[in-house]
């Protein structure tokens, strides 16, 4: 396993911001939508729920609207973006020698506690993102929340 000292340096944040802006522009051009992951996570969750309780998905209006059809569709590229973000980050970590499995935690907490708190925090953040009609990163990059109320 490589040490941290052999990892490549990070990109300049100003250059990274320019690249992110270009990606956002291309996303709007190609899909007429901005960037955000909470919608894709909801789509995946409803797809899995539909496999086990399709009658429930049909009864709940929000689920019925978002569910149904193929998981990956031309008119809903958010699932592809979510998968691409995960795979792209993992490939980048491998190429730049930063990828490793570890649990980062403070000295007063166990690995099990760290994972428990991470899952609880993630659940709260996921609920809040759906309550706010989108994730904060998608809102900051794309301003999607403003479009939802128009």
């Amino acid at each position: 396993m490589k040490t941290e000292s052999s990892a490549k340096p990070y990109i300049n944040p100003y250059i990274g911001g320019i690249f992110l802006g270009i990606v956002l522009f291309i996303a709007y051009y190609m899909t007429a939508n901005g960037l955000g992951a909470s919608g894709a996570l909801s789509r995946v969750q409803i797809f899995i729920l539909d496999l086990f309780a399709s009658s429930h998905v049909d009864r709940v209006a929000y689920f019925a609207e978002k569910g149904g059809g193929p998981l990956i569709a031309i008119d809903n590229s958010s699932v592809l973006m979510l998968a691409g973000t995960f795979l792209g980050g993992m490939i980048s970590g491998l190429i730049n020698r930063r990828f490793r499995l570890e649990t980062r935690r403070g000295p007063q907490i166990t690995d099990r506690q760290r994972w428990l708190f991470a899952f609880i925090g993630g659940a709260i953040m996921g609920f809040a993102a759906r309550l706010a009609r989108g994730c904060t990163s998608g809102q900051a990059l794309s301003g999607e929340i403003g479009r939802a109320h128009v």
Side-chain angles (χ1 to χ4, degrees):
M1 187 174 270
K2 304 278 184 185
T3 63
E4 280 191 43
S5 62
S6 65
K8 292 183 182 177
Y10 288 104
I11 190 171
N12 179 306
Y14 296 108
I15 302 297
I18 291 170
F19 284 142
L20 187 57
I22 292 169
V23 167
L24 182 61
F25 176 78
I26 292 169
Y28 268 116
Y29 180 76
M30 293 179 67
T31 67
N33 287 310
L35 299 174
S38 60
L41 288 172
S42 291
R43 180 70 183 99
V44 170
Q45 290 168 346
I46 293 167
F47 177 80
I48 293 170
L49 181 61
D50 195 32
L51 294 175
F52 297 100
S54 59
S55 61
H56 178 66
V57 171
D58 294 338
R59 283 192 308 269
V60 177
Y62 176 79
F63 291 166
E65 178 189 336
K66 297 284 184 190
L71 182 61
I72 300 171
I74 298 297
D75 61 340
N76 186 0
S77 60
S78 63
V79 174
L80 286 174
M81 189 216 57
L82 180 66
T85 301
F86 176 77
L87 292 174
M90 189 167 63
I91 290 168
S92 174
L94 289 168
I95 290 171
N96 292 301
R97 297 183 297 275
R98 286 195 178 90
F99 184 84
R100 65 183 160 277
L101 298 175
E102 65 180 342
T103 301
R104 292 190 174 201
R105 59 180 177 78
Q108 302 298 320
I109 193 168
T110 66
D111 284 351
R112 183 178 297 226
Q113 289 171 320
R114 175 67 178 105
W115 279 95
L116 175 67
F117 291 144
F119 278 110
I120 291 171
I124 292 169
M125 289 294 294
F127 176 77
R130 295 312 304 154
L131 185 65
R133 299 189 69 187
C135 63
T136 55
S137 59
Q139 289 176 17
L141 289 171
S142 308
E144 292 294 317
I145 192 71
R147 288 179 41 187
H149 292 296
V150 174

